[in-house]
Amino acid sequence: MSLTQIVRNAFVSRQKDIEKYDNGAEELQIQTLRYLTETAKNTEYGRKHAFCAVKSYEDFADSIPVNTYEELKEDIDRMRHGERDVLWKGSVKWYAKSSGTTNDKSKFIPVSHDGLQHIHYAGGKDVVALYLRNNPKSRLFDGRSLILGGSHSPNYDVADSLVGDLSAILIENINPLANLVRVPKKATALLSDFEIKRDRIARETLNKNVTNISGVPSWMLSVLTRVMELTGKKHLEEVWPNLEVFFHGGVAFTPYRKQYEQLITSPNMHYMETYNASEGFFGIQDDPTDKSMLLMIDYGVFYEFIPMDEFEKENPTIVPLWAVETGKNYAMVISTSCGLWRYIIGDTVSFTSTNPYKFVITGRTKHFINAFGEELIVDNAEKGLAYACEQTGAEVLEYTAAPVFMDDNAKCRHQWLIEFSKEPADIDKFATLLDNKLQEINSDYEAKRYKNITLQHLEIVKARTNLFNDWLKSKGKLGGQHKVPRLSNSRKNIDEMLKMN
């Protein structure tokens, strides 16, 4: 009997619990809300907003404002300096570093012990539970798991407190038993220099029986490319013949699917998407034939949603999970056992089903590019362009930007189409100034640009006069409130403009 057959039995009860999602969503979410407010009622935030008086969802919604990072930043910084019972009970030792806001290069998302165990690790276990349910012939645990992680560093001078990538926090605190089936070794997984890390990971795993891989598609592809370079093999199954699944998340998989299918030709290979953000573990693709994900509703996360057609209103409608409609675009609002209260995460989703609740990620609440995990927002772009113009004397009239997805050598870049009202004397210098400024103000962009490993130097294409107006006119959107989309994960708009250039 294989190890997987033995371990499989440990997941049966959880698989049955998840089946209750079909009809018990409202009850499970009310239980979660009760747990959150009861646990945090004696925190500073809980006392301020009278958690002790919250008896229903309506009480909760009336007592607590909707928050962005800016509203919680001061409290989070106090927690980082060691203060207890601020947003969540006790002290919070770990902080997941995420891309910044308008005012800051980085956000620092608290990860409490409760959140680590009952959100992030719970999600990881459920991924395995659902995969084994769907794949009765799996030999997942008969080999090793290749798990990519980031790095971390000390948090201020607080003892045993860390700040860094969520993946690094997860690896640092993982159950020691998991290390028996995980590669690479911990010291390699937590290296900060990705160029060194990818080489060491490749070398450490060449002769292992890797059955599954987990990570962000762009980073993983870079590692797998190095594996192929070292082995000289054409297909990955020649190196790891028992590889059966890629658990992926972080960025959309569609742009990478073809490259993975060229690299891994085995008919037994599976792909399973997860939605595990710094703020929490929210979704798992429970059906391999359905691209939508199952919303995980019995962790320490309470969900609310703002219809996107009301998002910019001063007092938008906000609904709990049981009031959402399918096919409607919503901004997601979360309250968690990490101390995030009615927090606008910035992602938008659309539900494909409400029995159980299944959804697809539709984008961000603002224009952005996040094709490779860089999370570039319009505010970053505006600041970068302003700096490049200031340094060169150039003037930008209109612009748009989109990703150029990875080629066969795992190379990629951002492509900017810019209409100048006053061109810079040296377009290459302008591009370098813009690229450097974006790295300075966005830590995720900086990380992806590091040594050109994942993201190459950006490209600028000069637009002819009136290109953007002509494009808007062709769409029947010239004038009025219509605007050129500044940043997009899709190449649809920029490709149309390039054809007209």
Side-chain angles (χ1 to χ4, degrees):
M1 180 178 290
S2 75
L3 180 59
T4 305
Q5 289 176 297
I6 298 171
V7 173
R8 181 187 293 276
N9 295 325
F11 292 93
V12 172
S13 63
R14 180 55 186 163
Q15 290 165 350
K16 292 180 179 178
D17 287 340
I18 294 175
E19 290 176 3
K20 298 176 184 177
Y21 282 18
D22 284 8
N23 299 302
E26 182 174 352
E27 181 182 351
L28 288 170
Q29 278 285 278
I30 290 296
Q31 290 175 4
T32 298
L33 181 60
R34 190 177 301 123
Y35 155 71
L36 292 174
T37 54
E38 180 67 24
T39 305
K41 68 182 181 182
N42 292 321
T43 64
E44 184 178 310
Y45 198 85
R47 292 193 301 271
K48 180 180 179 181
H49 295 286
F51 280 13
C52 61
V54 172
K55 305 300 181 185
S56 65
Y57 167 67
E58 289 73 22
D59 291 342
F60 178 75
D62 289 341
S63 302
I64 302 169
V66 173
N67 293 298
T68 64
Y69 185 77
E70 282 78 7
E71 279 81 44
L72 299 179
K73 176 188 173 184
E74 184 177 335
D75 287 337
I76 291 173
D77 198 55
R78 290 168 52 208
M79 293 163 66
R80 288 185 62 201
H81 279 89
E83 290 193 40
R84 299 172 57 88
D85 300 318
V86 180
L87 292 172
W88 189 249
K89 183 178 179 180
S91 61
V92 176
K93 296 288 190 179
W94 307 302
Y95 296 86
K97 187 177 179 181
S98 184
S99 64
T101 64
T102 298
N103 301 316
D104 296 283
K105 182 175 180 178
S106 299
K107 293 182 292 190
F108 299 92
I109 305 300
V111 181
S112 69
H113 181 270
D114 292 331
L116 191 69
Q117 297 298 326
H118 305 308
I119 300 176
H120 294 291
Y121 286 149
K125 293 174 184 175
D126 282 352
V127 170
V128 175
L130 290 169
Y131 178 75
L132 292 178
R133 184 195 69 181
N134 293 333
N135 297 278
K137 295 182 180 180
S138 171
R139 303 292 294 269
L140 192 74
F141 289 99
D142 295 350
R144 301 294 187 93
S145 302
L146 168 54
I147 303 175
L148 288 191
S151 61
H152 59 59
S153 58
N155 171 49
Y156 293 132
D157 57 354
V158 179
D160 303 319
S161 185
L162 299 173
V163 61
D165 298 314
L166 173 67
S167 56
I169 293 171
L170 297 177
I171 290 172
E172 182 65 46
N173 293 282
I174 200 169
N175 187 315
L177 291 176
N179 290 321
L180 298 177
V181 295
R182 183 185 63 79
V183 288
K185 60 186 180 183
K186 187 174 178 179
T188 298
L190 296 177
L191 282 171
S192 58
D193 188 317
F194 185 72
E195 188 174 27
I196 295 174
K197 177 189 287 191
R198 71 189 282 265
D199 182 69
R200 289 190 184 177
I201 291 174
R203 294 180 186 277
E204 287 181 26
T205 58
L206 287 180
N207 299 313
K208 304 293 185 183
N209 177 27
V210 175
T211 60
N212 60 99
I213 56 180
S214 302
V216 177
S218 51
W219 288 112
M220 182 62 75
L221 189 59
S222 184
V223 170
L224 299 183
T225 298
R226 183 59 181 151
V227 170
M228 305 310 290
E229 290 172 353
L230 290 172
T231 61
K233 303 295 186 181
K234 186 176 181 181
H235 298 117
L236 196 60
E237 59 264 34
E238 297 177 72
V239 182
W240 301 323
N242 297 313
L243 180 66
E244 60 177 82
V245 61
F246 178 25
F247 302 113
H248 60 86
V251 298
F253 188 58
T254 300
Y256 304 98
R257 179 175 289 277
K258 185 176 180 181
Q259 293 175 78
Y260 274 91
E261 291 176 347
Q262 290 173 343
L263 182 63
I264 309 168
T265 60
S266 169
N268 299 318
M269 186 64 186
H270 302 91
Y271 298 91
M272 189 171 179
E273 185 173 6
T274 65
Y275 181 13
N276 187 15
S278 298
E279 296 85 354
F281 203 124
F282 308 125
I284 301 172
Q285 184 182 7
D286 66 322
D287 180 352
T289 65
D290 183 358
K291 291 182 179 180
S292 59
M293 288 182 278
L294 181 70
L295 189 72
M296 310 312 292
I297 55 177
D298 59 351
Y299 299 172
V301 181
F302 181 76
Y303 298 97
E304 296 174 272
F305 301 89
I306 302 174
M308 277 306 293
D309 56 7
E310 296 190 38
F311 187 75
E312 298 294 339
K313 292 183 178 180
E314 186 174 347
N315 294 299
T317 301
I318 305 173
V319 299
L321 176 63
W322 54 90
V324 300
E325 302 172 25
T326 58
K328 198 168 185 176
N329 206 26
Y330 292 99
M332 192 158 73
V333 180
I334 58 171
S335 298
T336 78
S337 55
C338 292
L340 299 177
W341 298 104
R342 303 196 83 193
Y343 180 84
I344 300 175
I345 189 173
D347 289 334
T348 60
V349 299
S350 178
F351 285 90
T352 60
S353 167
T354 57
N355 189 27
Y357 286 91
K358 299 185 70 171
F359 68 97
V360 292
I361 301 171
T362 53
R364 298 282 289 175
T365 54
K366 299 178 181 178
H367 290 301
F368 71 107
I369 302 178
N370 190 33
F372 316 104
E374 67 277 45
E375 296 192 24
L376 191 75
I377 62 176
V378 172
D379 185 75
N380 300 155
E382 300 283 1
K383 287 177 177 175
L385 287 170
Y387 176 77
C389 286
E390 178 185 348
Q391 296 297 310
T392 62
E395 295 176 3
V396 170
L397 185 64
E398 293 281 7
Y399 74 93
T400 192
V404 175
F405 295 110
M406 286 186 175
D407 59 21
D408 292 339
N409 296 315
K411 304 297 183 183
C412 58
R413 65 189 181 279
H414 287 181
Q415 185 178 55
W416 293 67
L417 181 60
I418 301 177
E419 183 176 343
F420 293 96
S421 54
K422 182 180 178 182
E423 291 187 13
D426 186 341
I427 193 71
D428 292 332
K429 179 181 178 181
F430 186 95
T432 298
L433 288 166
L434 173 58
D435 188 74
N436 290 343
K437 190 65 175 179
L438 293 177
Q439 293 183 61
E440 179 186 326
I441 60 181
N442 183 315
S443 58
D444 284 333
Y445 183 85
E446 179 183 40
K448 303 306 177 289
R449 283 283 294 116
Y450 183 72
K451 292 188 178 180
N452 296 327
I453 297 297
T454 296
L455 196 61
Q456 311 302 298
H457 194 289
L458 64 83
E459 172 195 6
I460 292 180
V461 178
K462 289 190 291 185
R464 63 169 174 78
T465 302
N466 290 326
L467 171 66
F468 290 89
N469 283 345
D470 290 346
W471 178 78
L472 287 171
K473 185 177 180 180
S474 73
K475 298 291 181 182
K477 295 181 178 182
L478 188 61
Q481 298 298 311
H482 300 296
K483 299 177 181 178
V484 173
R486 295 306 188 194
L487 305 177
S488 176
N489 254 3
S490 167
R491 288 196 55 83
K492 180 179 182 295
N493 293 333
I494 199 170
D495 282 342
E496 289 177 353
M497 295 180 202
L498 288 170
K499 288 180 180 179
M500 298 174 66
N501 197 28

